[in-house]
Amino acid sequence: MTDLLPSLAGRRGSLHCHNHESRLFCAEFALICTLLPPALRNSQLLDFSRVNKYFSPFLALRYLKPKRSFVSIITLISVLGVALGVTVLVVVIAVFTGFGINIKEKILSSQPHIVVNLQDRNRPIDTEGNFVESPFDEWPNAVEAITEIDGIMSVTPLITGPVLLRHNGYQQAPMIQAIEPTEGPALDRYRAMTEKPGEPGKFDLTGENTVLGDDLARLFDIKVGDRIVLTSPNLEAVSDAVERMHKAENDAEKSVIIEEISQLTLPVELDVVGLFDSGDQRFDINNLFVSLEIGQELFDLGPEAHALVIDTEKPYEVMKYQAAIDERLDGFFGVSSWMDTNGPLLDAVATERNMMFFLLFIIMVVAGFCIMNTMITVVYQKRAEIGLIKALGAGEGHIVRLFLLQGAIVGILGVAVGQALAHLLIWRRDQIIAFISERFGVAIFDPDIYGLPKLPATPTWSDSLAISGGAFAACVIASLVPAWMAARMQPAEALRSE
């Protein structure tokens, strides 16, 4: 073995090989030796392991080299299978990511980041069993304490509840959002929903003004400048007054109670000064904004409020703000975030995304089996060459690395083609959807159903790396079985088959 490889380098074709494939292999193997550095090539101590770095990549590429054979066709199919799997996974996960981001943006455009429920009070009790007064019994004190926390952008009192809306002979019970926003992110968000170029209206809750959701206004045929009537269905107070009226002993007492009932159900007339569009149809068709004073009047709350709505600098890190607010208020009020309120919806989207990832990864498994089948075929077709390599001194490790490298090359090619094709499809998705819809009459994506102007798709580096890594790992793992089969092959039996 010490002088065999130099002789191959100097006399290519001098081996007595029995067929064309073997002779070609011997010539190519001798060519490897000629590529070695002169000092190494002329060394009399040359052994097989010292040419390993030239040997494995050379044969791996040789076996993958395009030829007019059945194996080459299967190899091409293997690469296309990996590319198809990567393309489908990247595109589908990007679409799910886009939908998730869009849902979160809609939630944040119509809902506050954090809500402090002023009606959910956890009053501390002293040793004698009496409620301990808290400085936060008055909600302005809570506002002052919350605004001292770093990262809090705005704190706004809120009154919310159902009211009776009457207009043009129709009536419905939407929810009012009675707020008193100050200059800051909250007011900017409401203005962005309402004040749009080329459309009338503004977000102004001073006096007897109101701002309706555009879908609610469309339902009642309400336009900017119209006047609507709101009535608070304070059923509990009315029921209590009616019960007291039945127990009244004279007409004078009944008259006083009837006047009280009329005050409880006194309608409020408001001017529509704007129509907002939050992007969430369910919110737009069921809500309208009024000033805090009108909300207090409708629900007979006096100076009280139902809740405090809070905006933060980083809404996606809302949990740390939530903990800070709860600590600052000594746990006196219930504190919830937009993630808590919309938890089931966000969890459903995340679960669907993960399930789709695992289901579509089956394509990678199929591509892996295709690669395994190709390489097993290569092992049986090249068994004479493998036997000759082992007879020349190659160990089992050399053979294993050879076929693992072949699987890795297939994986790299498939991942590269798949990623390029996926990003091309995402980039031109609108044109592709329009072409298919026009050509075949199939509505792939209907903006009216989803409430979006176009199909959302947001590819991320983390998703692309995870998909590429999974595809590459599947290709390498699929190469283990044929690599093990080739490494266990006996040289004498392999050469005798020729």
Side-chain angles (χ1 to χ4, degrees), residues 64-204:
L64 288 173
K65 186 169 60 176
K67 297 178 181 178
R68 294 183 179 179
S69 65
F70 180 67
V71 175
S72 298
I73 295 175
I74 298 178
T75 302
L76 179 60
I77 293 174
S78 301
V79 174
L80 292 178
V82 176
L84 178 62
V86 171
T87 300
V88 173
L89 264 175
V90 171
V91 172
V92 172
I93 297 303
V95 170
F96 269 91
T97 302
F99 268 111
I101 293 175
N102 186 269
I103 289 173
K104 291 178 181 179
E105 289 177 349
K106 283 187 175 181
I107 291 173
L108 292 174
S109 68
S110 60
Q111 298 182 17
H113 302 167
I114 298 176
V115 174
V116 177
N117 190 349
L118 300 178
Q119 296 178 313
D120 182 14
R121 300 189 178 187
N122 303 314
R123 292 181 177 274
I125 301 177
D126 60 17
T127 55
E128 298 180 358
N130 299 320
F131 288 111
V132 178
E133 292 187 2
S134 170
F136 305 117
D137 281 325
E138 302 293 333
W139 62 262
N141 296 332
V143 171
E144 183 178 354
I146 294 172
T147 52
E148 295 175 355
I149 300 174
D150 292 336
I152 299 298
M153 302 295 291
S154 64
V155 183
T156 305
L158 168 71
I159 295 175
T160 183
V163 294
L164 185 63
L165 168 63
R166 290 181 293 173
H167 185 75
N168 291 336
Y170 297 95
Q171 60 184 14
Q172 188 172 326
M175 300 285 290
I176 66 164
Q177 306 290 327
I179 59 175
E180 192 178 44
T182 57
E183 291 291 338
L187 187 56
D188 293 340
R189 182 174 68 246
Y190 298 138
R191 285 172 176 169
M193 294 190 301
T194 308
E195 302 172 7
K196 297 181 179 179
E199 297 183 9
K202 58 183 178 178
F203 192 87
D204 180 13

Side-chain angles (χ1 to χ4, degrees), residues 3-19 22-31 33-34 388 392:
D3 59 353
L4 178 58
L5 292 179
S7 64
L8 281 173
R11 300 189 308 277
R12 283 182 285 171
S14 61
L15 286 179
H16 298 286
C17 300
H18 297 287
N19 56 36
S22 297
R23 287 194 297 270
L24 181 61
F25 169 75
C26 293
E28 291 176 341
F29 183 78
L31 178 62
C33 300
T34 65
L388 179 58
L392 291 174

